[in-house]
Amino acid sequence: MAENINEKPNGQLRVGDNSLELPRVPASCGEDGVHIGAMRTATGVVALDPGFNSTASCNSKITFIDGDKGILRYRGYPIEQLAERSSFLEVCYLLIHGELPTAKELKAFSERIHENRLLHEDFKSFFTAFPAHGHPMSVLQGGIVGMSTYYEYSTKNVLDPQQQEEQAILLLAKVPTMIAYTAKRAAGLPLLYPDASRSYTEDFLRMTFGLPYQSYDIDPEIVHALDMLFILHADHEQNCSTSTVRMVGSAQANMYASVASGVGALSGPLHGGANEAVLDMLNMMRDTGMTVKEFVNKVKNKEDGVKLMGFGHRVYKNYDPRAAIVRDTAHTVLKRLGASEVSEMLDMAMELEEVALKDEYFVKRRLYPNVDFYTGLIYTAMGFKTKMFTPLFALGRLPGWIAQYIEMLNDPATKIGRPRQVYDGEVLRDYIPVRERGKN
Ligand code: ACO
């Protein structure tokens, strides 16, 4: 239900002698917007907001975050309830269609995904075209964009809702298979075909870790934990990768090309790549014998630009609600798997958190653990190599990218994304032939 129903005044802008009323755009909860579309024509200036600190790029009905209160909701449902009671495929449906599915709808949706999990047989050669130890995010990005060549029929009219649905199903179906193939290739092990009799997440684990000559049985608690981690990553409103997906899609590029661009953005260490960076940081501390206090001092002194990875967030200025759930899950999973070496790393991470949360540097800047701080430890205990962490994030984020792409294309207000700039380079210069350059 709307939390913010009172009429509030429009914005006012004055630039020199020009003034402009900025129509207020009400939010159902959170901050209202003011529309600045007429600003440039009316005042002759453009808005400059590097990093989009104060700029909303769209209206959206998908995900709500209150970063001060540590609230995250998908389509109005609190993340805590979904993490505890839902399943990843149900959340995919919710994000893409806007409502939780009926049992019949969920069955039909899951069946369509299961039926499409095989990759085109020729696609297997794609994985061998890259070095076996090439970063899986690069391979995944290439693989996803390559889908537009194998499933070109689904890209003929990107505005057609049926084609959007088809691309969504194919992405949800085939991306786990691709990620598992990438892991298998890096390990020099045979690829396994999907098995439609298993659940989505269980079969992803089987394709990643199973072997052709052995049956693969996995603890349902571990399957559940990974499924829940996918739910936690499923959407996060207009973050860097999602905004990239929307930007590329605004040119009416197909869903594969747009999502592949999102994968590229996610790979950065300031975004999804942070889960890998956290493990590297903990490994470095363990291997060099650096104490938590010594490392925190290094961060505070900004030595070599070192940061406490897995800490801080543009939107959350309170505990990231996902990080709280992940921390609890880490205890359960590590205990279940008896992963003592990883448990030592978990102790180190918790000590880091404790020290940081009491330290003036972090308190003043409102830096708390984000979702990436503890996920890598769980993934390690499950047997994933560090390089596979960000692809796991990508798999979780897939439904969010898809839902946001579809919402963007179906929004009548959408225009091709094309920011302005404030040019501050040379004004006008005459060309000087090379032989004359450098002479006074
Ligand atoms: N460690 C140490 N200092 C930090 C950290 C950190 N992790 N994060 C922010 N700060 C400091 C900055 O140096 C800056 O200090 P200053 O005021 O002295 O200059 C201040 O806090 C504000 O930080 P900004 O970089 O301006 O914040 P911004 O909102 O632009 O960045 C970001 C957010 C990129 C997430 C940042 O906190 C960061 O780099 N964190 C580490 C990487 C990470 O964990 N990324 C995952 C984010 S969650 C996700 O994408 C799923």
Side-chain angles (χ1 to χ4, degrees):
M1 206 174 35
E3 285 173 5
N4 194 353
I5 51 171
N6 295 334
E7 278 259 320
K8 291 184 186 160
N10 287 336
Q12 303 289 335
L13 180 73
R14 238 184 111 77
V15 180
D17 293 337
N18 299 315
S19 65
L20 176 70
E21 180 154 305
L22 306 174
R24 195 173 191 107
V25 184
S28 58
C29 40
E31 290 138 349
D32 289 349
V34 287
H35 210 293
I36 61 165
M39 187 173 101
R40 182 174 153 270
T41 319
T43 66
V45 296
V46 294
L48 178 64
D49 184 15
F52 302 99
N53 268 312
S54 298
T55 302
S57 59
C58 60
N59 284 74
S60 182
K61 296 183 191 320
I62 301 174
T63 290
F64 173 70
I65 302 174
D66 183 328
D68 288 326
K69 294 191 186 136
I71 290 174
L72 170 62
R73 296 179 199 142
Y74 298 159
R75 301 282 190 185
Y77 295 100
I79 191 65
E80 292 81 3
Q81 289 183 22
L82 293 170
E84 191 187 331
R85 297 164 61 186
S86 187
S87 68
F88 180 57
L89 282 192
E90 190 176 62
V91 167
C92 291
Y93 188 100
L94 170 69
L95 288 168
I96 295 168
H97 294 279
E99 298 294 338
L100 283 169
T102 61
K104 199 172 153 202
E105 286 165 341
L106 182 59
K107 185 167 178 282
F109 181 70
S110 307
E111 279 173 6
R112 278 193 69 200
I113 290 174
H114 285 313
E115 282 159 11
N116 282 288
R117 298 228 320 269
L118 270 181
L119 293 179
H120 191 289
E121 198 60 13
D122 294 349
F123 215 128
K124 281 163 67 179
S125 61
F126 166 87
F127 294 93
T128 55
F130 291 97
H133 293 287
H135 200 287
M137 282 301 272
S138 310
V139 181
L140 182 63
Q141 188 174 5
I144 291 177
V145 83
M147 283 178 70
S148 49
T149 62
Y150 282 99
Y151 312 106
E152 203 177 339
Y153 67 90
S154 63
T155 64
K156 295 287 180 212
N157 179 4
V158 295
L159 299 178
D160 175 359
Q162 273 185 341
Q163 297 229 331
Q164 291 170 1
E165 164 86 3
E166 182 71 10
Q167 292 174 82
I169 294 286
L170 294 182
L171 276 164
L172 289 169
K174 295 182 195 303
V175 166
T177 315
M178 276 186 206
I179 295 176
Y181 277 17
T182 311
K184 275 292 173 60
R185 172 122 201 283
L189 292 168
L191 314 182
L192 295 185
Y193 288 115
D195 172 357
S197 70
R198 308 220 187 201
S199 77
Y200 187 84
T201 300
E202 182 193 358
D203 202 40
F204 169 66
L205 282 165
R206 186 194 61 86
M207 286 190 289
T208 307
F209 297 115
L211 294 168
Y213 52 85
Q214 278 175 352
S215 68
Y216 182 80
D217 296 314
I218 178 137
D219 181 349
E221 285 291 321
I222 301 305
V223 176
H224 175 72
L226 185 59
D227 200 73
M228 194 270 290
L229 288 176
F230 290 154
I231 293 175
L232 295 183
H233 287 88
D235 194 46
H236 215 230
E237 50 117 309
Q238 307 313 318
N239 57 83
C240 179
S241 56
T242 301
S243 298
T244 303
V245 171
R246 277 184 175 259
M247 174 68 100
V248 175
S250 76
Q252 299 188 356
N254 64 53
M255 199 185 284
Y256 310 117
S258 305
V259 166
S261 309
V263 172
L266 189 74
S267 69
L270 297 190
H271 192 10
N275 54 16
E276 195 178 322
V278 171
L279 242 277
D280 291 342
M281 173 182 80
L282 294 173
N283 280 327
M284 179 281 292
M285 289 172 66
R286 188 194 52 192
D287 296 347
T288 61
M290 186 182 281
T291 65
V292 163
K293 288 230 161 83
E294 283 167 347
F295 183 71
V296 167
N297 280 336
K298 220 169 139 62
V299 172
K300 284 161 54 176
N301 296 333
K302 301 194 177 191
E303 275 174 47
D304 312 321
V306 65
K307 281 184 169 176
L308 177 48
M309 298 312 281
F311 253 68
H313 199 278
R314 171 63 58 78
V315 180
Y316 292 118
K317 301 301 169 196
N318 197 330
Y319 214 100
D320 179 338
R322 303 166 301 171
I325 301 171
V326 176
R327 192 182 49 186
D328 293 346
T329 308
H331 287 291
T332 317
V333 169
L334 267 53
K335 207 164 152 199
R336 193 107 189 160
L337 292 171
S340 58
E341 209 179 304
V342 189
S343 293
E344 282 170 28
M345 306 270 274
L346 177 61
D347 291 343
M348 199 195 294
M350 284 174 37
E351 193 187 336
L352 258 175
E353 177 187 331
E354 201 185 327
V355 170
L357 291 184
K358 284 188 195 139
D359 192 288
E360 170 70 9
Y361 175 95
F362 296 89
V363 173
K364 204 173 92 195
R365 291 169 177 79
R366 303 179 72 189
L367 301 170
Y368 292 85
N370 59 50
V371 69
D372 285 330
F373 194 62
Y374 288 107
T375 48
L377 294 167
I378 303 181
Y379 297 148
T380 305
M382 286 177 174
F384 289 101
K385 300 282 181 223
T386 313
K387 276 186 175 178
M388 295 308 297
F389 296 175
T390 319
L392 293 172
F393 189 153
L395 177 50
R397 183 55 53 87
L398 198 50
W401 288 331
I402 292 169
Q404 300 269 354
Y405 172 92
I406 292 175
E407 183 181 69
M408 178 272 307
L409 277 187
N410 294 326
D411 181 349
T414 293
K415 288 170 170 246
I416 186 169
R418 205 303 183 185
R420 298 274 172 176
Q421 65 171 8
V422 176
Y423 176 74
D424 57 6
E426 297 288 344
V427 177
L428 180 66
R429 298 197 273 186
D430 282 327
Y431 179 82
I432 302 167
V434 66
R435 62 181 177 280
E436 291 172 26
R437 280 176 228 156
K439 295 180 188 165
N440 287 330

